[in-house]
C-alpha cells in the first residue's frame, strides 16, 4: 500500500493530523494499535484549555491560543462531515481558588504572561459574589475564580469519533488493530505491522502516544515520554447547573458531571483507587455542594503522555528525514492546531508554524 503519509497512532493527535493532511489533498494511511493499547484520547477530561498553559513558555501559550481560535471552525466542519455534534462550548472556563493568597499569586503570574503576549490574554477575576451570579450552585469554600475567555470544553469521545468518521468519509484508510513493529527507510519509508501488513510512505508521523517509547528510538528519536495517571468520575445525567468548565468539574453536553482529574505517578497502571477517587470527589463537592445528591455511574483511569517538562514534542528525525514525532499532553486542546497548522510544518511550507522550542533536543540526556 503506497501513501504520502503513514500516521502511526489513531488517537486524537494522529487523527487530527490525518484530517488536516487529507484536506490538503494528501493521501494518508492511519495505523492504529490493538484494543488493549493505552489511549489517552478515550480517557481524558475534555477541556479545550488556554489558561495556565505556557506560564514559563509564552510560545506554548500562543500555540494553545491559536488552536483555541481555530477550534470553532474545526468543530463545525467535523460536525458537518460526521453528522454529529461534538458538544463543543467555548464560553470561557474557571480556575477556582480557595484562598485570597492563591488567587492573587495566580493573577500576578497571568499578568506577567499577558504582558509577554502583548496583552492578548483575556481573563477577569471574579470575587465570590460575581462568581455566584455566574454559577449559583458554587460552594462557600470558593473565594473566587479566574474566568479565562478563551477556554472551553468538548465531548472527547464525540471528538474522537467525529475525527475517525471524517477521515473515513474522505475515503482514506484507518487500519485498526495494527501495531507497527518497525519503520525503515531504504528509499521512502517501509512501515511494518505485527500481522504482516506493510505500508510504504513518503513521510511518517509517529503519533502513537506512549507507544512512541518503543518505536521512537527505531526512528532516531529519543521520545522521552512517560505515563502520568489521571482518575475520573462521571455522575448520572443531571439538569444543567454548571455553566462553565473548570479543572474540578464540568457538565458534559449529555448532562453527566465529569469530576477530575488526579495527577499520579503509577507507571503503566491505568486503574482506579478508592482513596484518589474520594479525594477528587471531595474537592468537587467543595466547589459544587449539590453534587452530594448525585449518583456516580462510572469511574476510570487513563495515562497522560508526559515529556520531562510537560510541554509538547514536535521533532523531525535527523537519522530519518521525513519522519516526525508528535506527542502531547493536550491533544484535545491542540486538535485544531494539529489539523490546521501542523500540516504546513510537515510539508516544510513557508507558512509553517515556528515549533523550534518544542524540539526534543531541548532535553539534556
Ligand atoms: C486523565 C486525562 C485527562 C486529560 N485531560 C485533557 C484535557 O482536559 N484536555 C486536553 O487537551 N488533553 C487532556 N488530556 C491529554 C489528552 O488526552 C492527550 O494529549 C491525547 O489524548 C493524546 O492523544 P494521542 O493520540 O497522542 O495518544 P493516544 O490517545 O494515547 O493514542 C495513541 C494511539 O497510538 C496507538 N499506538 C501505540 N503504539 C502503536 C504502534 N506501535 N503501532 C500502531 N499504533 C500504536 C494506540 O493504539 C493509540 O490508539 C488528558 C489525558 C488524561 C490521561
Amino acid at each position: 500500500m503506497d501513501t504520502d503519509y503513514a500516521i502511526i497512532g489513531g488517537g486524537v493527535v494522529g487523527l487530527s493530523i490525518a484530517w488536516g493532511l487529507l484536506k490538503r489533498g494528501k493521501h494518508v494511511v492511519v495505523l492504529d494499535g490493538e484494543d488493549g493499547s493505552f489511549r489517552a484520547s478515550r480517557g481524558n477530561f475534555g477541556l479545550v484549555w488556554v489558561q495556565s498553559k505556557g506560564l514559563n513558555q509564552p510560545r506554548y501559550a500562543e500555540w494553545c491560543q491559536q488552536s483555541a481560535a481555530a477550534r470553532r471552525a474545526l468543530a463545525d466542519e467535523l460536525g458537518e462531515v460526521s453528522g454529529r455534534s461534538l458538544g463543543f462550548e467555548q464560553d470561557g472556563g474557571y480556575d477556582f481558588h480557595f484562598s485570597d493568597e492563591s488567587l492573587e499569586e495566580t493573577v500576578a503570574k497571568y499578568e506577567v504572561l499577558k504582558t509577554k503576549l502583548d496583552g492578548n490574554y483575556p481573563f477577569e477575576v471574579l470575587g465570590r459574589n460575581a462568581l455566584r451570579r455566574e454559577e449559583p450552585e458554587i460552594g462557600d469554600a470558593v473565594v473566587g475564580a479566574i474566568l479565562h475567555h478563551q477556554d472551553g470544553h468538548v465531548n472527547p469521545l464525540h471528538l474522537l469519533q467525529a475525527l475517525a468518521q471524517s477521515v473515513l468519509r474522505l475515503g482514506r484508510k484507518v487500519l485498526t488493530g495494527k501495531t507497527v513493529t518497525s519503520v525503515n527507510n531504504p528509499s521512502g519509508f517501509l512501515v511494518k505491522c505485527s500481522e504482516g501488513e506493510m505500508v510504504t510512505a513518503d513521510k511518517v508521523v509517529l503519533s502513537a502516544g506512549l507507544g512512541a517509547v518503543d518505536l521512537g528510538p527505531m526512528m532516531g528519536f529519543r521520545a522521552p515520554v512517560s505515563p502520568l495517571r489521571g482518575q475520573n468520575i462521571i455522575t448520572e445525567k443531571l439538569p444543567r447547573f454548571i455553566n462553565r468548565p473548570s479543572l474540578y468539574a464540568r457538565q458534559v453536553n449529555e448532562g453527566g458531571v465529569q469530576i477530575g482529574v488526579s495527577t499520579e505517578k503509577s507507571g503503566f497502571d491505568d486503574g482506579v483507587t478508592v482513596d484518589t477517587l474520594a479525594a477528587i470527589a471531595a474537592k468537587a463537592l467543595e466547589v459544587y455542594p449539590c453534587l452530594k445528591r448525585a449518583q456516580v455511574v462510572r469511574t476510570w483511569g487513563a495515562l497522560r503522555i508526559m515529556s520531562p517538562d510537560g510541554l509538547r514534542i514536535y521533532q523531525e528525525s535527523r537519522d530519518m528525514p521525513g519522519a516526525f514525532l508528535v506527542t502531547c499532553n493536550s491533544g484535545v486542546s491542540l486538535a485544531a492546531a494539529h489539523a490546521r497548522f501542523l500540516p504546513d510544518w510537515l510539508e516544510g511550507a513557508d507558512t509553517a508554524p515556528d515549533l523550534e522550542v518544542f524540539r526534543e533536543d531541548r532535553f539534556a540526556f
Side-chain angles (χ1 to χ4, degrees), residues 11 13 32-33 37 39-41 44-45 47 178 180 208 328 330-333:
V13 172
D32 194 39
S37 312
R39 293 168 193 268
S41 304
N44 65 71
F45 201 60
L47 297 177
K178 305 286 174 201
V180 172
C328 79
S330 299
V332 177
S333 303

Side-chain angles (χ1 to χ4, degrees), residues 154-167:
V154 69
N155 183 320
L157 296 180
H158 289 189
L159 167 66
L160 190 66
Q161 197 179 26
L163 276 167
Q165 284 173 349
S166 300
V167 168

